[in-house]
Amino acid sequence: MGLSFRRNVDGTTTGRNDETGFTVTLADEGEVKRRLYEDAGWEYTSPPPPVPPGHHRFALVDDSFDTGDFGDSRYAGIRANPPAGCVPVDWGCFALECERPGATLLDAVADTVAEVRQEHGLVMNSLGIEKPEEWYGEGKDGFKGQIVAHLLLRAVHRAGVIGYGRDDLIQLLDATGIE
């Protein structure tokens, strides 16, 4: 079964349940999703309210190859004293759900990753995005920005595992001409 959503040029959203053929077009995207979930027999949870200006919502995950589960003793300190604006959650591994300040999403993620590493000796290496090839959302501080942060954290972690260091990564970034 699949649900599909499309933003139309007139500002409306069309949703379709491929199994039942149920289709709805409305101006309110949230209502389209709610109706499609209801048609599919799934529970719909409304998205959380927007974060205040200058804040960003994201998750950080310790997704190393050798990680334990949420209750692993290496996470005891951060479970007891997480960074401000973050809540430890069990995603089958250790994760933090965060709402943190930052000029951009990448600033907020970088500050949080640095704080976790300095305070707890853990390197959070993922934003928990399962399909980073799905490129949707608005602006650099939305889901597209989360994908960039996720891919960078995963790349840094995996580069370290196979023996690349900071200089190697910086050389590659510089070679791209990114400014």
Side-chain angles (χ1 to χ4, degrees):
M1 176 188 323
L3 303 183
S4 59
F5 300 92
R6 181 184 72 239
R7 287 199 180 122
N8 304 311
V9 293
D10 65 357
T12 61
T13 299
T14 298
R16 177 176 170 75
N17 181 337
D18 296 331
E19 185 172 297
T20 66
F22 177 74
T23 302
V24 62
T25 300
L26 298 168
D28 183 347
E29 182 179 347
E31 182 62 14
V32 170
K33 288 182 179 178
R34 187 194 67 73
R35 289 187 186 185
L36 257 75
Y37 273 61
E38 182 179 277
D39 181 68
W42 300 345
E43 183 178 336
Y44 176 73
T45 304
S46 299
V51 294
H55 284 73
H56 306 275
R57 183 178 289 131
F58 56 92
L60 285 177
V61 179
D62 184 0
D63 196 15
S64 302
F65 298 114
D66 64 344
T67 57
D69 62 12
F70 179 78
D72 192 295
S73 62
R74 77 178 102 188
Y75 306 120
I78 195 168
R79 281 194 312 267
N81 187 26
C86 295
V87 176
V89 292
D90 185 348
W91 283 9
C93 59
F94 182 80
L96 293 170
E97 290 182 350
C98 302
E99 286 187 18
R100 299 266 296 187
T104 66
L105 173 69
L106 288 183
D107 287 334
V109 170
D111 288 348
T112 310
V113 168
E115 183 177 335
V116 169
R117 182 176 53 79
Q118 291 165 359
E119 298 292 322
H120 302 285
L122 299 169
V123 178
M124 304 301 281
N125 57 20
S126 171
L127 269 68
I129 296 171
E130 292 185 18
K131 296 183 179 182
E133 67 276 4
E134 292 182 1
W135 189 257
Y136 62 89
E138 300 296 326
K140 69 180 187 179
D141 291 331
F143 188 67
K144 290 178 183 179
Q146 289 184 14
I147 291 170
V148 169
H150 171 78
L151 291 172
L152 283 169
L153 288 173
R154 298 301 297 145
V156 167
H157 170 70
R158 290 182 180 189
V161 167
I162 64 172
Y164 285 116
R166 184 181 196 289
D167 290 342
D168 300 307
L169 297 175
I170 296 299
Q171 179 183 6
L172 179 59
L173 283 174
D174 285 346
T176 68
I178 191 169
E179 295 190 25

